[in-house]
Amino acid sequence: MPLDAAAQNQLTIILILAILLFIAASALPQKIATIALLVLIPYQTIETRFGSSSVVLAFVVFIAFLLKGDRVRLPMLPIVLLLLFWYSISMALMHPSTYMQHAIYMFAFLSAFIVFWLCYDLTTRLPKPSNIV
C-alpha cells in the first residue's frame, strides 16, 4: 500500500525529530533527554499506521541510552516478558486477519514499558525524585 504525500511528509517530520532526539539523548545527560521525552509524550502530533510519534521517540531515546553505555536495570522484566509470551500464545486463537492489529498492540505495550523504564531509571539515579523538574 503506497503512502500519499501527507503520510510521507509526516514520516519525514517524525524521522527528523527522531534523529534530533537521538543526537540529544546521546549527547546530553539522561535527565534532560528523559524530561524532553516526557514533555513530548502528550502531544501525539503524528499518527502513522505503525504508532504515534511518542512511540517512535520512546524507542529512539531507549536505544540512545543503550548505545551510550548507561546502566540498564529493567524493573519487572520477567512479568513483562510473561505478559508478552501470554499474549503471543493467545494470538494463536485469533483470526489470522487480525495479526497485524495485535502486533501493533504488542508494539504499543513495549513502548509503554520503555517509557516506564526511562522514568523509573531516572528517578532511581537522582537522590530525590523532586529533582526531575
Side-chain angles (χ1 to χ4, degrees):
M1 179 170 158
L3 298 174
D4 59 350
Q8 288 178 356
N9 290 340
Q10 286 182 343
L11 288 176
T12 304
I13 290 170
I14 190 63
L15 179 64
I16 292 170
L17 186 60
I19 290 171
L20 290 175
L21 193 60
F22 180 79
I23 292 169
S26 298
L28 296 174
Q30 181 186 5
K31 179 179 178 180
I32 296 171
T34 305
I35 289 172
L37 174 67
L38 293 177
V39 168
L40 290 174
I41 282 177
Y43 304 104
Q44 309 234 348
T45 56
I46 299 170
E47 292 285 337
T48 67
R49 55 185 148 173
F50 309 108
S52 67
S53 57
S54 301
V55 170
V56 174
L57 296 177
F59 277 96
V60 165
V61 171
F62 183 74
I63 291 169
F65 288 155
L66 286 180
L67 292 178
K68 198 159 107 172
D70 285 348
R71 68 176 181 184
V72 177
R73 291 185 310 149
L74 295 174
M76 300 182 344
L77 183 62
I79 295 171
V80 170
L81 292 177
L82 178 68
L83 285 173
L84 285 174
F85 178 68
W86 193 270
Y87 193 81
S88 62
I89 288 175
S90 69
M91 282 183 65
L93 304 173
M94 298 174 199
H95 193 271
S97 64
T98 62
Y99 286 166
M100 183 56 92
Q101 182 181 8
H102 291 286
I104 292 172
Y105 294 152
M106 289 176 71
F107 190 73
F109 177 74
L110 280 175
S111 67
F113 178 71
I114 287 173
V115 170
F116 164 73
W117 173 79
L118 289 170
C119 296
Y120 173 83
D121 193 56
L122 179 65
T123 55
T124 57
R125 287 177 190 241
L126 297 175
K128 293 191 305 184
S130 61
N131 291 340
I132 291 176
V133 187

